[in-house]
Each structure stands twice: as C-alpha cells, then as structure tokens.
Amino acid sequence: MPKTHATSARRRGFAAAFIAAVIAVTGATVLGSAESAAAVTGPTATPTASSTGVPAGTKLKVHNGDLTIRTAGTVVDGLDIRGFVRVEAANVTIKNSIVRGRQTTGNAIMIYAGAGKNQNLKVRNVEIAPSYPTPLTNGIYGFDFTLDRVNIHDVIDSVHVFGDNVTIANSYLHDNLHYTNDPNHRDGSHDDSIQVQKGNNIVITNNHISGSYNAALMVTQDQGRVSNVRLSNNWIGDGGCTVNVAEKGKGAIQGLKVTDNIFGGSRFGCSMLIPPTTPVYDKGNVKADNSVVRVDRRQQ
C-alpha cells in the first residue's frame, strides 16, 4: 500500500548503564527503578530526535510480546518492547524505552491508556517507532497521562485524546504515516499529530510537531465536549490547516488558548481554522517565514 510521507530513520544502538530492579507486571517481568514524580520542564531548544526518546547511552533489554500493566506504581525502565503496551493501573511510569509493536491485522495502538484506570500515567524519554506500520497504526490513545520528551513517528495519529487531564510537553511528533489508498477513508489517511475528541484540561507545550497530512492539532467533539485546551510555545506545522477546530453540534469550545507558537506551512496556507462561535485567546504567535498567522473563522 503506497505511503506518501517519508518514514523517518529509527535510532539504534543505545548503550550505557541503567539501574535495574524487578517489578511484577501482568504477563511479564519488567526491569525498572523507583522514581519520584518530577515536574515537566521546558526544553532549551526545539525538540529533535536527539533530545527526545531514549537517552543516548541507555542499554535496553528486549521484551518480546505485549505488555499489560495492572499493578499501581509500576515503573517500566529500559525496555525494547516488541509488542503493544496497555496501562490499567494508576501512577505508572514508562521511561527510557522504545515501543515497536508487532504484526497485526487489527488496530495497532502502541500505548493504550483509555480504560479509565491509568490515572497519572507518565511516559518519559520514550520512542514510539512501529516495526510493522499499517493504516491502523497509532501512537498513544487515551487520557489522564503526561508525555515528556517523547519521540513519536511512523503512525497515523501520534496522540489521540478522549478524556481529561493530558499534558504533551518537550516532545517530537513527526513523519506521520499517510496512505493514499487507506481502507478506512475514501480520500486517504486522516493522519493528525494530535486529535482531541473530548476532554478538559489539555496542555500542549514546548513541542516540535510536524509531518501530518490532516492537521497538527485536530480538536473535535466527536465523543463529547472539549474545554480548556492550551497550545503554547510549540514549533507546529503541516496539515491542511495546522490547527483545525470543529464543534460538531455540541456548542462552543471554551478555554481555547493559542499562544507564543511558531507556525510552519500547511497545505492550504492556513495556520488555524476555528468556528466563529468558539472564542480563542490568540497571542504571540508568529510564522516561521515571517508572514501573518492567519485565523480562518468557519463553522464545521
């Protein structure tokens, strides 16, 4: 099946020491170490492959097969996961690891956090790099999680949100999959870097976001009301319109703030498409080419 976006090279050869302890996880033994909750801190420069994902010099242990986490407080540290990850416990941390997935003919969600049991999930210094990309391959699905210094590529949607309390920070979302002949869509893949279908308190800050065909940030209300979305201090580009907001008959989206971002180009030359009934706090945004940041107002 043809793909119209280039697949980014996967970084290999991570080597150096990590502190290992055995943690019980349903269906697997995971190497890890205890970690206290740390505040998300902003990058000193735009995130890239070298500043996100598994830190250079980290030694990884291969884990073959899917990983389902059902023990609260589990720390997954230093794994090369050749399967999918599902989180069904609170206060879980996944760090310094790579998730590659496996062959499948069905939905391929690399990390699933949508069962409503994963409160305060932290994903830090993780790369999502599927070994078997398909039109059903996606990055992280769910809600109640924080992504920090995560590198996601070669998926349809990098992050798919359908609930409250999501933070995406200091991360590199790039090189989405796009299929001209996609069995799920008659007009080709609808790949988004970030799609928000419902939820409150969504923070997207200090990221490098590029490589999607549909939108870099797609905010809809397909599953319910969306409110309090903050997009700040990002380098963000691509998509038809880079930021695309739709109300879907559920009323105005309240608390939308778009501030201090650098916008790249887009297929239609439009930075933001927002319904006229949705208020937006728009301040400090600039274009990478010094042209005007355009806000198109149209109901969807």
Side-chain angles (χ1 to χ4, degrees):
M1 197 172 292
K3 191 177 74 171
T4 61
H5 278 66
T7 300
S8 60
R10 296 178 175 85
R11 294 182 293 133
R12 295 180 173 86
F14 305 114
F18 67 101
I19 300 172
V22 177
I23 295 178
V25 175
T26 301
T29 298
V30 178
L31 296 179
S33 59
E35 178 186 82
S36 60
V40 173
T41 57
T44 56
T46 301
T48 65
S50 63
S51 63
T52 58
V54 182
T58 301
K59 186 176 181 180
L60 300 180
K61 177 181 175 62
V62 172
H63 172 84
N64 286 307
D66 296 348
L67 187 60
T68 300
I69 304 170
R70 295 195 177 104
T71 301
T74 293
V75 177
V76 175
D77 187 1
L79 288 188
D80 183 341
I81 301 169
R82 313 289 176 87
F84 305 125
V85 177
R86 184 180 178 93
V87 182
E88 297 183 0
N91 301 312
V92 169
T93 297
I94 304 170
K95 64 177 184 175
N96 306 327
S97 297
I98 185 167
V99 183
R100 300 184 191 272
R102 57 173 170 78
Q103 286 185 310
T104 180
T105 57
N107 287 325
I109 299 171
M110 307 300 283
I111 298 179
Y112 184 78
K117 304 174 183 178
N118 56 273
Q119 295 85 355
N120 199 35
L121 168 64
K122 293 182 175 63
V123 181
R124 181 171 293 126
N125 288 116
V126 167
E127 182 174 7
I128 292 180
S131 297
Y132 303 97
T134 76
L136 294 173
T137 300
N138 291 284
I140 299 177
Y141 263 45
F143 52 94
D144 249 327
F145 59 74
T146 294
L147 308 184
D148 185 20
R149 299 188 298 274
V150 174
N151 180 359
I152 306 176
H153 55 88
D154 299 313
V155 297
I156 299 294
D157 283 3
S158 299
V159 183
H160 198 101
V161 178
F162 47 93
D164 299 344
N165 304 322
V166 171
T167 296
I168 305 165
N170 314 318
S171 294
Y172 185 28
L173 314 181
H174 61 107
D175 293 304
N176 298 60
L177 294 177
H178 180 81
Y179 295 89
T180 303
N181 298 316
D182 187 322
N184 307 293
H185 299 284
R186 298 167 71 179
D187 55 349
S189 300
H190 290 191
D191 43 290
D192 303 303
S193 296
I194 301 167
Q195 181 172 170
V196 183
Q197 290 200 328
K198 76 172 181 179
N200 176 62
N201 189 30
I202 315 299
V203 177
I204 304 160
T205 186
N206 298 325
N207 302 287
H208 183 178
I209 304 171
S210 63
S212 64
Y213 186 81
N214 194 49
L217 172 60
M218 183 76 203
V219 180
T220 72
Q221 299 189 118
D222 290 327
Q223 294 192 33
R225 295 295 301 273
V226 174
S227 58
N228 297 314
V229 177
R230 177 163 65 90
L231 179 75
S232 65
N233 297 98
N234 302 280
W235 195 103
I236 183 168
D238 295 327
C241 289
T242 299
V243 173
N244 192 337
V245 177
E247 295 175 358
K248 298 294 181 74
K250 295 183 175 68
I253 294 167
Q254 301 297 329
L256 177 62
K257 296 182 178 180
V258 183
T259 61
D260 302 312
N261 300 283
I262 299 174
F263 280 84
S266 64
R267 288 188 294 118
F268 302 140
C270 128
S271 296
M272 291 185 270
L273 176 59
I274 301 172
T277 46
T278 285
V280 56
Y281 181 73
D282 168 26
K283 181 180 178 183
N285 300 297
V286 298
K287 288 290 291 289
D289 63 2
N290 294 318
S291 61
V292 175
V293 174
R294 194 171 103 206
V295 183
D296 291 329
R297 290 292 203 164
R298 189 175 76 236
Q299 194 62 252
Q300 298 187 83

